[in-house]
Amino acid sequence: MKNKSLKYKVTNENEHASLLARVDELMRKGEKNITEEESLEIREMGLALQAYEQGIYTVPLPDTLSDMIELRMYEMRLKQKDLAENLGVSTVKLSMILNGKQKPDIPFIKALHKKLLIPADFILEHI
């Protein structure tokens, strides 16, 4: 199966706004009222919008290990007690590490890497 080139390409903010307006227009029709062709069009526009946004609206990596852990907590929608359980540590220990009152130990660091998918090089540079 050949890869079809995308019908849409977003290269600036005006094109982005225009394509968003078109997606909004189609979405307002409701899922049951759009045709198969319109559904495919929404998908293609969404992919083009996503590609543009990923290139333009980058989120810089956090500056500290604590900030990275908090970012992952947010992304995974975890509360601190849920994260502590997931990492196999007490909430007190997690709180102390996040507040800089205790250094993370090797099992904690391994859990960060394996369970939160924090890159090892980031962890090593920020402990």
Side-chain angles (χ1 to χ4, degrees):
M1 186 164 137
K2 286 184 179 180
N3 280 346
K4 284 173 65 173
S5 61
L6 284 179
K7 184 176 173 181
Y8 301 95
K9 183 170 171 115
V10 180
T11 59
N12 60 52
E13 287 296 317
N14 289 336
E15 291 174 358
H16 183 262
S18 178
L19 214 52
L20 276 177
R22 175 66 179 145
V23 169
D24 185 54
E25 175 187 331
L26 289 172
M27 296 295 287
R28 287 178 187 267
K29 290 174 80 174
E31 187 177 348
K32 294 179 181 173
N33 298 320
I34 62 171
T35 66
E36 181 74 25
E37 185 177 288
E38 289 170 329
S39 179
L40 290 173
E41 183 180 3
I42 291 170
R43 178 167 166 51
E44 286 187 18
M45 288 186 291
L47 291 172
L49 288 164
Q50 180 182 32
Y52 176 75
E53 290 167 359
Q54 286 177 341
I56 298 299
Y57 305 117
T58 58
V59 177
L61 285 178
D63 294 328
T64 67
L65 184 58
S66 295
D67 288 345
M68 177 62 92
I69 294 168
E70 289 177 6
L71 173 63
R72 288 294 196 259
M73 283 174 56
Y74 173 77
E75 291 172 344
M76 299 170 79
R77 294 178 172 83
L78 294 172
K79 294 182 178 171
Q80 194 166 322
K81 73 176 187 73
D82 300 325
L83 179 63
E85 185 178 306
N86 193 356
L87 297 175
V89 298
S90 70
T91 55
V92 172
K93 180 176 180 174
L94 178 59
S95 178
M96 290 179 71
I97 291 170
L98 290 176
N99 291 317
K101 294 179 180 176
Q102 181 177 337
K103 291 278 187 190
D105 57 16
I106 298 299
F108 182 82
I109 290 170
K110 284 182 178 181
L112 290 178
H113 178 64
K114 289 182 179 184
K115 296 186 178 187
L116 296 186
L117 304 177
I118 297 177
D121 59 333
F122 183 90
I123 294 170
L124 290 172
E125 290 173 14
H126 294 88
I127 54 171

